[in-house]
């Protein structure tokens, strides 16, 4: 019997795996084909670079979201948190310019501040969830409102603009290239690779899915559930900070409309990528694919001319559903 | 002068640059006038959508006993009924910028000129592209004021050689302006001019042009009169030759006039149209409000 | 023992040449089986033999790959998802089938709610539940949520639920695995009542003496093959055991080596108090096996969970090798060398939808680190070791823990517990749902561990097991220790008398 | 042993129950006290009536959401669905006016259409979730986009306005009174009472929590899981339709900015009310309290002038968190 087992199992298993792994990739491929049919410039390096560079903001945030969601949590506050952090960075940099000048020191200060504030904001969310024992949905819905209000308040309803010279020093971090690869793409890639390793090869990653799959079992298995949970939110906050660090040099500004609804895009990307919203299973590379899929949809809609722009959102919605439908067989098995 | 009056001010939440400006100028006016007129007090409320704005009006009537209302309706059609209720309650009503779907409800209408913004812009495009050219249009959000502006613009350039290659919604937002412009640049090898309709969107457009290294191939026009853009115009930028005023401080004007009505019962009723004028290198100075966040 | 009247009657439910494969994995090979009105037909077999699968097929929860099922002599295709209850075929699943958020009443009537004027008749359902619970002597509130019940209490709810259906065929998959003597007795009373009413009972258990006591006929499965189906009278526990495992079974329990009295104390507990524990004190020596007997809800689990920091400790002292210790969480107790193996396999023991490897190494991942990264190769080795040591039978290493047979899940959990090489092991119902063969292995492992100087606390509702292994036995009642037995005093009668409170320190 | 259990269990249980039941009510009470301290007119019948009448839109939708969430689902599309339905109703009524005039028949037609379209839209969501086996989050995020795009398309980027005479006929349904009680409040109350009964006293309600608590168990108890799931989405759609039926007479128009983000408010109300986001336990009265709490917050912020309006969202966020924090003790035990 055991032998029979050994032969058969892989095939069955691999069948399940295939759809699950291929799902997002197929969706990606189909979109690439569609795009190239629609427009000759679609597959150009320039366009691809544009897409991935844009994806980097939500991408980095979505990577954080993958950790949070895998452990069974949720963070709706990432969008307004990003706006808030960007605003704080601008205020800090501007106010430091007189003393520190407009060189790299002041920018570095801003960056460090951004990452730190992000981690702190994340910790606040995390503590309310773990120590406060409140549904993550509620905690982060609440902090969503709080961060959004704070940026509006800081910007006095208007827009915070980065000191122009400081902006010049800073801007390469967004618009610069290394060997022709845009800076944000490089940052995105590095974050993604590290995250993938953390998720698959570290105790932290393993504990995440354990907690997400059955918190009690995790507790009985000597895992410090609350601490791990907290960590995921801190990590999420830190990565939101990193996204803000890339965002500020883009326009050198932040206002109350900055990063609105990024949370939904981030979560959508995570799920399109094959991570389970209920927790217990997550994968970073899937999220990366998911984010790029979302950007591709927007890009393709802009490159074609037959669909009324009124209907853009409808096509985005439809394609998101289809992209996940491609993984259906997997969901069925679980 | 012993009687005191309460004036309610209801404006949309700062959900993009321009409304942000509205909130700022409204706040400023309220602070200034509260000091100026001891017998006037103000109730300021910002609303993200018409349900909340309608609620704000109900609350002002039911709990704050307002004598007058200054409102910039986020969605005039939806707000008409609620504003009519205020009027029927015997309150003074000043409507700002956007026309209600029923005429004659308000006492004072400080009207923004949305079609005017379109027309003025169209006139400039005609003069700047006498023998036509390819342009792309970045719209705002799909709501009536955007439609008014775009329709007027299209009408303005109707029988010219100017060809609108493409249109997309940029939601008066920098990120979307940036993305859409990037894609337009991918899509069209030859673009002569860009109409971004809004200065926030324009900022995104310029960034995209700069990164693509095509900033010298085309010029772009926004709208509203954000001081960052005004400065560019004033400095005679070739890339942003002009701007079209649609200044959020019209709300301040409206509050001022309403205050005058109560404080000095001055004759202020009727309609005051704030024209959307072309801002050029020469007249830029008078549109520059340096120390505002807008 | 019910009336032999069943013997004559025609079969109600029968399986003919039933085979079943999961994917390409065959687990049942052309099985013939039938059950007659008024009889108790027991099925025994090793873990993974295919008992539960066969029962799921006989109640429609699984469809056979080939073969036919006849009901009242007519071939039928049983409807899925328990709809067969409509035909009077009721199954008590081996793994609980209760929803945590529902109340006892809601669970018992789930899917067949009583209505009045189209609305739920809540009062009536609660009343009926109360009577049901009373007949089964289950002291739980009908409005209590399942989540608040102990494992045994849940099992009793499952039984209550099943007998409340007017079943013609009642299939019980290891109902007694988590029950102690008292509940088992109650259950048997009910079974006899039912058989007298002509209900056909299929009964699965690894406790062979029960099987002998209760059943008219016994069917033996091994590796998905039908070994024999014969009258209980023709079997003795030993012969049955042999036919199950297919080999001579030497004595179940290893010889007890005398505990040496001056072995150092490794653990001493004084006046431990917490939810469900009311002032418990005891000592544990090096190399000692200390049994914990008691009725359900007597507080044994609570004691264990309080010791390792799973339940908040309200008062009391823990001394480990003379040092005062306090564990705020399991990580600390594990580091100190004390581990607790839960009896709630599904809820607290294993991640059922994850592989065997992550389950095995979850508490001890840091032992498989290569630098900062998990070394899957060393994990694989660990799994191999555990598989060999505890004889875990999985079709291959890639199955999810939930797909293992009940007993094999238990073995996996045992392996997980031993991974951290603890000095003090608290086992809560360690052989729950394990076949005799494996039991024997586990008993020898436990004895061996003790021999090599580990100390073991054995919580078990299976008296034989406590008696057969323990050097000393603590009997609990009402969250208190009401008796400590040693040497010859460790016998069934003594333990039961204490459990019942007939003897020993009177419990409040 | 009996004693031990009997002693411990009930007391523990009841304590848990208390907080769980009192939590939202305490929050409500505190807000009422705060309000009455801030402004003398707060506790007037007029103001209270305003608040509850307003709450009726989101309230009716949130009641639907309570069913969906209790069964372990989620519906993010309710906001744009409401906008879409409102738009369709206006189109249908306006186009029927020529033939049917502007009397009650035409309004009735519009109302029936609204409810029907709602049920259908809900069914679409439900089928994708059950038959399509796609995460509800993704399905309804997708349909959110689709409905939003459709209303934009129908309104041609502008606004759909209800025929004025028809509007006059229709408006009493929102602004009318019965024995001095505003019509929307009556509708809201009726819906709430029926829903409460359905939730507690019908098999449907039972099966909902069973499914939400443990789908496998529900399935093994011969419950038609998919059908019940589908029903919850249909019901949700129907109730969204009912909200639209109340919305149209109040605002007489619909466009792409109608009912934006109502989904978040609805879900927040449900959770504030004590329903568990993971499913298995839900209660309608809690949701009703939750909705009123949310409206109270807005109302109270309008009663004072010291807090900058920029910070409104922050206070809403904070109060939402606190309201749920009051139920903490309950969460702890689960
Ligand atoms: N859903 C499933 N998918 C794949 N294999 C399964 C599944 N359920 C059971 N099996 C396999 O079928 C075989 C028989 O399992 P079954 O649960 O019937 O054994 P059992 O006799 O009940 O054992 P135990 O006494 O431990 O309960 C085992 O090898 C098990 O791994
Ligand atoms: N964490 C806890 N909080 C509150 N009460 C508890 C807790 N754990 C156990 N109890 C209660 O303490 C009593 C003892 O339960 P426990 O599970 O320890 O009994 P047991 O001896 O292990 O019997 P069983 O075989 O049912 O586990 C029961 O009434 C149980 O409900
Ligand atoms: Mg079994
Ligand atoms: Mg227990």
């Amino acid at each position: 019997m055991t032998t029979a087992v050994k032969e058969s199992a892989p095939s069955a298993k691999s069948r399940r795996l295939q759809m699950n792994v291929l799902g997002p990739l197929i969706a990606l491929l189909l979109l690439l084909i569609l795009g190239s049919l629609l427009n000759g410039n679609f597959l150009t390096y320039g366009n691809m670079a544009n897409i991935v560079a844009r994806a980097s903001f939500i991408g980095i945030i979505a990577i954080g979201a993958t950790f949070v969601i895998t452990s069974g949590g949720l963070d709706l506050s990432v969008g307004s948190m990003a706006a808030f952090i960007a605003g704080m960075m601008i205020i800090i940099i501007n106010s430091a310019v007189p003393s520190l000048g407009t060189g790299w020191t002041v920018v570095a200060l801003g960056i460090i501040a951004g990452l730190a504030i992000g981690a702190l904001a994340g910790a606040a969310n995390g503590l309310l969830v773990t120590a406060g024992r409140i549904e993550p949905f509620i905690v982060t819905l609440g902090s969503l409102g709080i961060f959004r209000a704070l940026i509006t308040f800081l910007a006095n309803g208007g827009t915070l603009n980065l000191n122009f010279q400081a902006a010049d020093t800073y801007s390469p971090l967004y618009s610069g290239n290394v060997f022709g690869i845009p800076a944000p793409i490089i940052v995105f890639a590095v974050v993604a690779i590290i995250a993938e390793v953390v998720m698959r090869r570290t105790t932290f990653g393993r504990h995440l899915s354990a907690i997400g799959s059955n918190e009690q079992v995790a507790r009985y298995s000597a895992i410090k559930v609350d601490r791990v949970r907290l960590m995921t939110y801190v990590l999420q906050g830190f990565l939101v900070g990193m996204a803000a660090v890339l965002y500020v040099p883009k326009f050198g500004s932040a206002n109350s409309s900055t990063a609105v609804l990024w949370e939904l895009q981030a979560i959508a990307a995570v799920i399109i990528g094959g991570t389970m919203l209920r927790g217990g299973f997550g994968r970073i590379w899937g999220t990366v694919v998911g984010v790029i899929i979302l950007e591709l949809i927007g890009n393709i809609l802009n490159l074609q001319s037959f669909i009324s722009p009124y209907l853009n959102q409808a096509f985005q919605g439809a394609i998101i559903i289809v992209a996940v439908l491609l993984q259906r067989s997997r969901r069925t098995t679980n | 002068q012993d009687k005191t009056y309460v004036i309610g001010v209801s404006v949309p939440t700062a959900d993009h640059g321009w409304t942000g400006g509205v909130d700022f100028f409204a706040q400023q006016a309220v602070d200034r006038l509260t000091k100026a007129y001891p017998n006037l007090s103000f109730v300021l409320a910002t609303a993200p959508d018409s349900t909340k704005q309608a609620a704000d009006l109900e609350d002002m009537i039911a709990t704050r006993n307002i004598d007058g209302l200054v409102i910039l309706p986020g969605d005039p059609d939806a707000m008409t009924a609620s504003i009519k209720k205020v009027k029927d309650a015997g309150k003074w009503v000043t409507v700002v910028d956007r026309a209600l779907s029923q005429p004659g409800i308000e006492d004072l209408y400080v009207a923004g000129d949305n079609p005017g913004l379109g027309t003025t812009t169209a006139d400039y495009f005609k003069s700047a592209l006498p023998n036509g050219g390819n342009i792309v249009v970045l719209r705002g959000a799909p709501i009536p004021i955007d439609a008014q502006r775009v329709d007027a613009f299209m009408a303005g350039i109707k029988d010219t050689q100017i060809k609108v290659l493409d249109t997309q919604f940029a939601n008066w937002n920098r990120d979307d302006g940036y993305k859409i412009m990037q894609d337009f640049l991918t899509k069209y090898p030859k673009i002569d001019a860009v109409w971004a309709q809004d200065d926030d969107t324009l900022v995104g457009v310029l960034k995209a042009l700069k990164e693509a290294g095509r900033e010298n191939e085309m010029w772009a026009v926004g709208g509203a009169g954000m001081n960052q853009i005004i400065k560019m115009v004033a400095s005679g930028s070739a890339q942003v030759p002009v701007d079209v005023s649609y200044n959020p401080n019209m709300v301040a004007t409206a509050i001022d006039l309403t205050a005058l009505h109560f404080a000095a019962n001055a004759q202020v009723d009727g309609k005051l149209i704030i024209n959307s004028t072309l801002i050029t290198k020469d007249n830029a100075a008078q549109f520059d409000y340096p120390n505002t966040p807008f | 023992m019910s009336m032999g009247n069943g013997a004559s009657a025609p079969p109600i439910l029968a399986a003919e040449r039933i085979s079943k494969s999961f994917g390409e994995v065959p687990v049942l090979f052309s099985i013939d089986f039938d059950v007659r009105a008024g009889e108790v037909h027991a099925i025994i077999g090793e873990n993974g033999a295919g008992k539960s699968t066969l029962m799921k097929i006989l109640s429609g929860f699984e469809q056979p790959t080939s073969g036919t099922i006849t009901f009242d002599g007519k071939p039928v295709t049983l409807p899925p998802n328990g709809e067969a209850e409509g035909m009077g075929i009721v199954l008590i699943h081996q793994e609980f089938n209760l929803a945590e958020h529902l109340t006892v009443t809601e669970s018992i009537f789930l899917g067949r709610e009583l209505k009045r004027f189209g609305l739920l008749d809540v009062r009536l359902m609660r009343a009926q539940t109360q009577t049901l619970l009373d007949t089964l002597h289950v002291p739980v509130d009908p409005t209590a949520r399942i989540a608040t019940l102990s494992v045994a209490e849940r099992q009793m709810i499952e039984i209550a639920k099943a007998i409340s259906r007017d079943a013609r065929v009642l299939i019980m998959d290891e109902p007694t695995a988590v029950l102690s003597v008292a509940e088992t007795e109650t259950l048997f009373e009910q079974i006899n009542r039912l058989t007298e009413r002509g209900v056909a009972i299929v009964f699965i258990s690894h406790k062979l003496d029960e099987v002998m006591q209760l059943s008219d006929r016994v069917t033996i499965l091994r590796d998905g093959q039908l070994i024999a189906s014969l009258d209980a009278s023709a079997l003795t526990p030993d012969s049955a055991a042999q036919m199950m495992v297919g080999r001579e079974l030497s004595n179940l329990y290893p010889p007890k080596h005398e505990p040496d009295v001056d072995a150092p104390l490794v653990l001493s507990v004084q006046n431990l108090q917490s939810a469900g524990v009311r002032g418990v004190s005891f000592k544990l020596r090096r190399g000692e096996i200390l049994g914990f007997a008691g009725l359900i809800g007597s507080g044994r689990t609570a004691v264990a969970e309080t010791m390792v920091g799973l339940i908040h400790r309200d008062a009391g002292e823990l001394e480990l090798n003379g040092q005062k210790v306090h564990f705020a969480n399991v990580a600390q107790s594990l580091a100190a060398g004390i581990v607790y193996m839960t009896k709630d396999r599904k809820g607290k023991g294993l991640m059922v939808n994850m592989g065997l490897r992550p389950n095995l190494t979850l508490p001890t991942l840091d032992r498989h680190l290569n630098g900062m990264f998990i070394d899957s190769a060393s994990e694989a080795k660990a799994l191999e070791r555990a598989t060999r040591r505890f004889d875990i039978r999985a079709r291959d290493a890639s199955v999810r823990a939930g797909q293992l047979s009940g007993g094999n899940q238990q073995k996996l959990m045992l392996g997980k517990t031993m991974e951290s090489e603890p000095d003090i092991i608290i086992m809560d119902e360690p052989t729950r749902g394990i076949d005799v063969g494996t039991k024997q292995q586990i008993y020898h492992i436990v004895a061996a561990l003790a021999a090599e100087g580990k100390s073991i606390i054995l919580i078990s509702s299976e008296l034989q097991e406590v008696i057969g292994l323990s050097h000393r036995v603590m009997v609990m009642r009402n969250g208190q220790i009401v008796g400590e037995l040693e040497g010859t005093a460790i016998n069934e009668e003594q333990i039961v008398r204490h459990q019942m409170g007939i003897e020993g320190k009177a419990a409040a």
Side-chain angles (χ1 to χ4, degrees), chain C residues 149-153 295-302 305 340 343-344 348 428-429 459:
Chain C
L149 303 185
S150 76
V151 182
E153 288 165 332
L295 297 179
I296 280 99
S298 56
R300 299 160 298 171
T301 299
E305 296 193 344
Y340 165 67
K343 68 171 164 263
D344 186 355
K348 298 165 179 157
D428 203 346
E429 313 286 1
I459 301 175

Side-chain angles (χ1 to χ4, degrees), chain C residues 273-339:
Chain C
Q273 298 188 19
S274 73
V277 181
R278 299 154 63 212
V280 164
S281 311
F282 64 89
K283 294 184 172 10
L284 179 65
R285 295 188 177 287
R286 188 166 186 286
E288 184 178 34
I289 302 178
L290 177 62
F292 265 70
L295 297 179
I296 280 99
S298 56
R300 299 160 298 171
T301 299
V303 168
E305 296 193 344
T306 311
M307 284 166 62
V308 297
L310 280 163
I311 298 179
H312 174 73
R313 167 169 29 158
D314 302 332
E317 305 260 299
L318 225 66
E319 270 188 21
L320 191 59
N321 305 318
Q323 309 293 327
K324 275 200 177 35
V325 287
H326 173 60
F327 306 128
N329 57 50
V330 179
Q332 291 174 9
S333 60
L334 183 125
I338 303 186
V339 297

Side-chain angles (χ1 to χ4, degrees), chain C residues 4 29 61 102 161 175 209 235 241 249 258 262 328 358 383 451 485:
Chain C
F29 303 85
F61 288 93
L102 299 192
K161 185 174 170 186
D209 45 354
L235 277 174
L249 267 184
E258 275 314 301
D262 46 36
L383 180 56
L485 309 175

